[in-house]
Amino acid sequence: MIRSGRTLTKSAGTASYRWLATAVLRAAAVILLVMTAVFFLIRIVPGDPAKMILGEYSTPEAIARMRHTLGLDLPLWEQFVRFVKTLFTQGDTGNSIIAGTSTRELIAERAPVTLLLIGMACIAAIVIALLLATLAATQKDKLLDHLIRIFPTVTLGMPIFWVGLLLILVFSVRLRWFPVGGIGEGWAGTLHSLALPAITVAFSQIPTLIRSLRVQMLEVLESDFVVTLKAAGIPGRVILFKHVVRNAALPTLMLLGVNISYLIGGTLVVEQVFGIKGIGSLLFTSISNRDFPVIQGIALYCAIGVVIVSLLIEILSWWLDPRTKGTS
Amino acid sequence: MMSIQPLLEVEGLSLAAKPGGKILVDTISFTLNKGETLGLVGESGSGKSLTLRAVLGLLPRGVEKVGGAIQSGASSAMVFQDPRGALDPLCPVVKQLTEVVYYRQKLSRKASRAAALELLDRLGLPDSLKHTDRYPSQLSGGQCQRVVIAMALACKPGILLCDEPTTALDVTVQRQIIETISALQKELGFAMVFVTHNLAIAAAMCSKLCVMKEGRIVEQGEARALLQNPQDPYTQMLMNSVLPVPELEGSV
Amino acid sequence: MKPITIDSPTPRNGKTGALSRLWRTPSLLAGSIMLAVLVLLAVLIPLISPYDPTKQDLSAFLQPPSAEHWLGTDQLGRDLFTRLIYAARTDLTIMVLAEIIPFCVGVFLGMIAGYYGKWLDTVISLITDTFIAFPFYLIVIIVAFASGAGQRGIYITFILVGWIVFARVTRGLTASFRRQEWVASARTLGLPGVRIMLRHILPNVLPQAIVVLMTDMVGLLVAIVTLGYLGIGITPPTPDWGTMIFDGQPFITTAWWLSAVPGFAVVYTGIALSLVGDGLADLWRKK
């Protein structure tokens, strides 16, 4: 079982609410740590940010001025206070060095496409993984099962950008089913042009999902309640789709919650392959411009997003699973 | 009580594990007549539960029938040892029961639900179950077992297979469940195969007994006769392992 | 209902040597052979190929595969096969070296957290939760960029983030061992914690950690290649699979193999390492 370490008490309802409170508190603590980490992210690695922004051959005066604008000339604790202050007053990591606008605005502008892409990828991953795992589990030890079991081993080592390239080569260049890159017009165009990138992102999650889902399904298929239903003469397809898949879907959701961070990271890279102007491309532009506040902002928002999404998924599966509610 | 044509006839049944072919149940035979209760007793791992699954026609994965025949003149339904495990944890119990009625008795959805509620009533489950969606985890073990029995009854079985239906329950509930099953049997007249390792229950419930050890039936016969005068050393050992049950001699 | 235990086929007598165990674990055997072939090629490439991996020959650019150039040439006329194997040298060396420190640190911290529990465990697990909150590629990209492109950046990145996986696995295992009776009895005998951890827990935790190491190396290799592709990993002209895929991308319609072949090399290595990992897991489970 891919449950988190916390065991939920079956008895009193209050205990599960205590669990909820602990989960929320823990998430809050992690968010605070994430903020601190973002502050130190730029400072622990060797190299002077000011020098990196201006280049190897800039004058010492220019570097000193840049250090001042970035606040790097202040003592570390004061820098941190300033960082936290902007965080809570402005809700971001300061203004972009290049654009001058706040990082929050810059990120908000690019976020919709990325979020849509992530959402589509999640749906694609769950649907494909459920489908393949169901096929594998019901055909256990037959040819199809073996093929699906080999699938994760083969795909584990596939770089996500490379998968994207191959998909472009096959579906866009050869078959012309999808555009090669960019975003189409209108809702239909947008969805159409995001389909291939979404499948690419989903592809990186599917091996892990299939692996655990197949085991999960086999376990459910062997459980007493499936025997009870079979013995009661309920048709196989009803048992499979109404009972087995539902029971296996919950842990899948949990697993996807655990992996959401990888999924977001993959999305940033895949945007680059398909030329999508989302958070990923903002990140790479900022990297080539040495725009530190924006880089920090992206890191911050992504990490907070991960913490919140995994918390929500944990709560959602807790809410969906009657076993956690206790007798009343 | 004896009829000429038995309801269930197991003839030389052998079961084996698939890879390696280790014999798990070794050429066992028994018959069951209408309205009769046959007890399978023995320690865990002796093949009692597997025998039941074979009669049910749903062997666990990795086990196969390698010999013998099972002839059954009636449909069978099963009651499991772990009632909570025998119910889908994500499906409200009333819905599960309704589903069984719907597919088994070919009624309309609405009629199925009514029939399901009636069954729950008959098994003495509280009314609160009917109004709100209760999940197995919200029921006590005994309540779950009653739901499982209701599901088995919804199949209108000629033979009810009981796999240690009380072992996982609290002692106080065990008796209620046993009495419920007995009462239902009197009313509906189904035959039973009752697996247990509790000799007191076996004595109370069963008219015939088969003592199993390591996949073989070491002794079988009329329940009372067998328990009063065990022939096989293994049966004697089983008898000696429990505290004497005083009612055994005098009762019905 | 008791689970049905199915005895494994009777163990063969006599042969218990490492070699015979290798034979009985086909995935381990296959993976090892695949890895050996790759390593052998990488070591012997100067003897096999007459070409220089970095020397350009613009008169022979973008040639399709032929007897002379087994996999054709790239846009600068360099032999693709030669570059592919030299890239294996670069990438595999970094992959192995960059895993050493994270592996040791992760196993160490995980054992301490799992063994001593309490506040130390809380602190370490909060730290791992924080690191995990950052999408892996995001943190890799930022740290690699901030510490400068090239191999140094890759090493720094993986020392920073690589230990978490091992810490998580060993923490869980150690905590479960700690609850077992033999550890409790060793503790009542007055053995110091360090000794119990080294003599009793480490040997039990290590196999699992090594299995995880195999899959993690696949992830690391993919990350190295991704950084190369994004232009913040290994810098040209050093051959690397990631930069090779990037260089081939403009020619995807005319010479698709330029990008496809280095990708297959990554996949090949990934399969080999996964097979070794699965095989080792099988082997240790049987014991």
Side-chain angles (χ1 to χ4, degrees), chain B residues 58-236:
Chain B
L58 291 169
L59 282 169
R61 176 173 289 140
V63 179
E64 63 181 344
K65 197 172 111 181
V66 287
I70 299 170
Q71 274 190 344
S72 175
S75 67
S76 47
M78 184 147 164
V79 176
F80 289 84
Q81 177 174 357
D82 170 21
R84 239 188 265 279
L87 295 168
D88 181 349
L90 298 185
C91 189
V93 287
V94 176
K95 213 172 150 196
Q96 283 183 63
L97 183 56
T98 309
E99 202 175 23
V100 177
V101 177
Y102 177 78
Y103 284 106
R104 254 308 159 94
Q105 306 184 0
K106 311 274 182 237
L107 299 171
S108 72
R109 288 274 175 199
K110 221 172 162 184
S112 304
R113 193 177 162 84
L117 292 178
E118 205 184 293
L119 267 172
L120 287 180
D121 235 10
R122 198 176 203 169
L123 278 147
L125 282 157
D127 282 350
S128 62
L129 272 184
K130 300 171 188 170
H131 308 303
T132 50
D133 275 353
R134 288 307 173 91
Y135 292 90
S137 56
Q138 294 165 312
L139 270 57
S140 70
Q143 287 175 323
C144 279
Q145 193 60 293
R146 284 169 198 272
V147 175
V148 173
I149 294 169
M151 280 170 72
L153 293 184
C155 303
K156 305 215 181 248
I159 306 164
L160 187 67
L161 308 168
C162 297
D163 186 1
E164 310 216 21
T166 58
T167 313
L169 302 176
D170 286 344
V171 190
T172 46
V173 184
Q174 288 193 1
R175 182 164 176 176
Q176 294 170 11
I177 294 287
I178 293 290
E179 279 168 356
T180 308
I181 294 176
S182 293
L184 286 166
Q185 185 182 25
K186 276 205 191 82
E187 191 186 332
L188 301 169
F190 49 78
M192 270 205 282
V193 181
F194 203 95
V195 165
T196 182
H197 60 251
N198 185 329
L199 288 178
I201 292 177
M205 297 287 288
C206 307
S207 44
K208 279 199 292 195
L209 280 185
C210 296
V211 181
M212 284 187 78
K213 186 200 176 193
E214 287 162 4
R216 285 196 185 82
I217 293 180
V218 291
E219 189 170 6
Q220 66 174 309
E222 287 297 316
R224 231 165 306 127
L226 193 146
L227 289 172
Q228 276 167 350
N229 191 14
Q231 299 296 310
D232 190 87
Y234 179 72
T235 317
Q236 289 164 1

Side-chain angles (χ1 to χ4, degrees), chain A residues 26 33-34 38 45-46 52 153-154 156-159 161-162 165 169 173 261 265 268 273 284 287 290 295 299 303 306-307, chain C residues 125 129-130 132-135 138 141-142 145-146 215 218 222 226 229-230 245 249 252-253 259-260 263-264 266-267 274:
Chain A
R26 197 183 165 83
L33 281 174
V34 159
V38 166
V45 285
M52 288 182 75
T153 313
V154 175
L156 188 70
M158 287 192 182
F161 63 90
W162 183 75
L165 280 180
L169 180 65
V173 176
S261 149
L268 301 181
V273 179
F284 289 104
I287 279 181
R290 315 274 188 244
I295 299 173
V306 168
V307 176
Chain C
S125 70
D129 275 13
T130 308
I132 285 166
F134 291 99
L138 180 79
I141 289 164
I142 293 177
F145 146 73
T215 12
V218 182
V222 171
T226 306
Y229 171 81
L230 295 170
I245 296 174
Q249 200 175 342
I252 191 105
T253 48
S259 284
F264 282 120
V266 183
V267 175
S274 310

Side-chain angles (χ1 to χ4, degrees), chain A residues 140 218 222 224-225 227-228 230-232 234-235 238 242-243 246-247 321-323 326-328, chain B residues 53 56 58 61 80 85-91 99-100 103-104 134-135 137-139 151 155:
Chain A
K140 188 175 185 289
L218 285 176
E222 278 292 289
D224 275 356
F225 83 78
V227 179
T228 315
K230 268 188 200 163
I234 291 178
V238 177
K242 271 176 93 171
H243 298 280
R246 263 168 58 107
N247 272 279
D321 189 344
R323 276 164 296 194
T327 46
S328 48
Chain B
R53 294 281 290 262
L56 189 66
L58 291 169
R61 176 173 289 140
F80 289 84
L87 295 168
D88 181 349
L90 298 185
C91 189
E99 202 175 23
V100 177
Y103 284 106
R104 254 308 159 94
R134 288 307 173 91
Y135 292 90
S137 56
Q138 294 165 312
L139 270 57
M151 280 170 72
C155 303

